[in-house]
Amino acid sequence: MVRFTACIMAAGRGERAGGGQPKQLRLLAGRPVLAWSAQILADHPACGELIVVHAPGQREAVMDALGDLSARVRFASGGATRSASVRAGLAAVTGEHVLIHDAARPFLSAETIDALLDALGHAPCAAPALPVADALAREQDGEVTPVDRSRLVRLQTPQAFRTQALRDAFEAADGADFPDETALARAAGLEVRLVAGDEMNFKLTWPADFDRAERLMAGRGGAFVTGSGFDVHRLAPGDGLHLCGVFIAGDLCLVGHSDADAGLHALTDAVLGAAGLGDIGDHFPPSDMQWKGADSSRFLTHALELAAQTGLAPVHCDVTLICERPKIGPHKAAMKARLAALTGLRPERVNIKATTTEGLGFTGRGEGLAAQAVITMRSA
Ligand code: CTP
Ligand code: MG
């Protein structure tokens, strides 16, 4: 099988999809669309090189969206039109074969990649194609003219090329714009071989496509797991306490072996729960002196690493703090930011809640503070 360079086009503005940001950066099942589409190409055994073309000024946002994958990626800055963006990406390609893919198609399958690579053995260009199911007509000023659909196909990406042939086609096009690279290749007289397209490999184009995509992701069996955690620490007079990784000054402290951050402990237990790895005491026994006074963010980070080794990444977390004092409200934003930084989640995927127990029980009497956490994790 030939090796290929994946060139992922992520420089568009996604105007039709709306959503307030380029569609390739929007989250789908908790992960940016671009990361999903890049991952499928990166995971293919024949993928030798990964290039992502981003809009000028969006390199950081795109790196952020790619997460760990960005270490494998080389970047190019795109242009105002898709053709200009592809040209910029192509300039960075070193491999002999290139697959040009829309970042906005996160449901690409390895089978489509295989078919394209196969076809490249027989022709300089290949593209996935699907038949047109609906009747077609042209409408102009209220006049409807049927169009014969019997010879029409819908072209998807990736579109695959022998790199030099595509370079030559761009050269011959002399700056002209094409809707896709197959059109460019045909204009240069290159033979294009069609392979079977895939209805699942649709392009996120309109707002409703995101709803469909979320439903499809949710239907992928066994992809999500949930863990819960609970922790209590005694409150005592003191000069401040740590909660959800944030220091709250005041006349109280939390008593415990480590820094007694009940919020982080509950969340750590939730992570271990999701990963089926027991509880915090199994991993950080209070009898072990190295954890005395420890910054509890270490527990959470370590639990997340262990979960990652089992293939789990966080998608969302929700922490509830139960106490009469200290007042949590003024610190919620800082806690959210801190937990987002520790988990790698976006702040909108982290939630902090606080409640009192109406003066009832140990929390009501101010003897202790309790924390509950739930985390949702996705298998990679
Ligand atoms: N693309 C690109 N550079 C451009 C235009 C588009 O890299 N100047 C990329 C998009 O990021 C997308 C793919 O080409 O992944 C397919 O294009 P399209 O669906 O049209 O995306 P957008 O141009 O972003 O969307 P819209 O046309 O709705 O604004
Ligand atoms: Mg467009």
Side-chain angles (χ1 to χ4, degrees), residues 104-164:
R105 293 184 193 264
F107 293 102
L108 169 64
S109 72
E111 286 74 20
T112 300
I113 300 174
D114 290 344
L116 289 166
L117 296 178
D118 225 36
L120 276 188
H122 308 281
C125 320
L130 285 168
V132 177
D134 297 319
L136 295 178
R138 187 169 287 117
E139 190 271 340
Q140 194 170 17
D141 303 327
E143 193 174 321
V144 177
T145 314
V147 172
D148 177 13
R149 68 170 187 257
S150 58
R151 313 290 287 267
L152 292 179
V153 290
R154 294 179 286 146
L155 299 181
Q156 301 181 310
T157 75
Q159 298 186 356
F161 302 88
R162 294 181 191 153
T163 309
Q164 193 53 49

Side-chain angles (χ1 to χ4, degrees), residues 183-237:
L184 167 76
R186 286 303 301 138
L190 293 170
E191 182 199 344
V192 175
R193 192 159 283 221
L194 297 183
V195 305
D198 177 1
E199 291 288 356
M200 283 287 286
N201 184 23
F202 65 96
K203 180 161 68 73
L204 293 165
T205 303
W206 310 101
D209 292 332
F210 274 83
D211 299 335
R212 180 181 172 203
E214 287 287 1
R215 281 197 302 276
L216 283 169
M217 285 286 183
R220 290 180 165 184
F224 291 93
V225 290
T226 303
S228 76
F230 179 73
D231 192 36
V232 170
H233 278 280
R234 184 179 290 281
L235 280 165

Side-chain angles (χ1 to χ4, degrees), residues 267 315-319 339 343 345 349-351 374-376:
L267 187 55
V315 170
H316 172 267
C317 70
D318 186 18
V319 178
L339 291 190
T343 55
L345 286 168
R349 295 282 171 165
V350 174
N351 192 61
V374 174
I375 191 160
T376 305

Side-chain angles (χ1 to χ4, degrees), residues 9-17 23-24 53 78-83 85-86 101-105 203-205:
M9 307 312 302
R13 303 223 291 240
E15 277 167 1
R16 285 169 292 176
K23 57 192 177 185
Q24 59 274 18
V53 182
T81 63
R82 187 189 153 87
S83 290
S85 295
V86 173
H101 188 49
D102 295 334
R105 293 184 193 264
K203 180 161 68 73
L204 293 165
T205 303

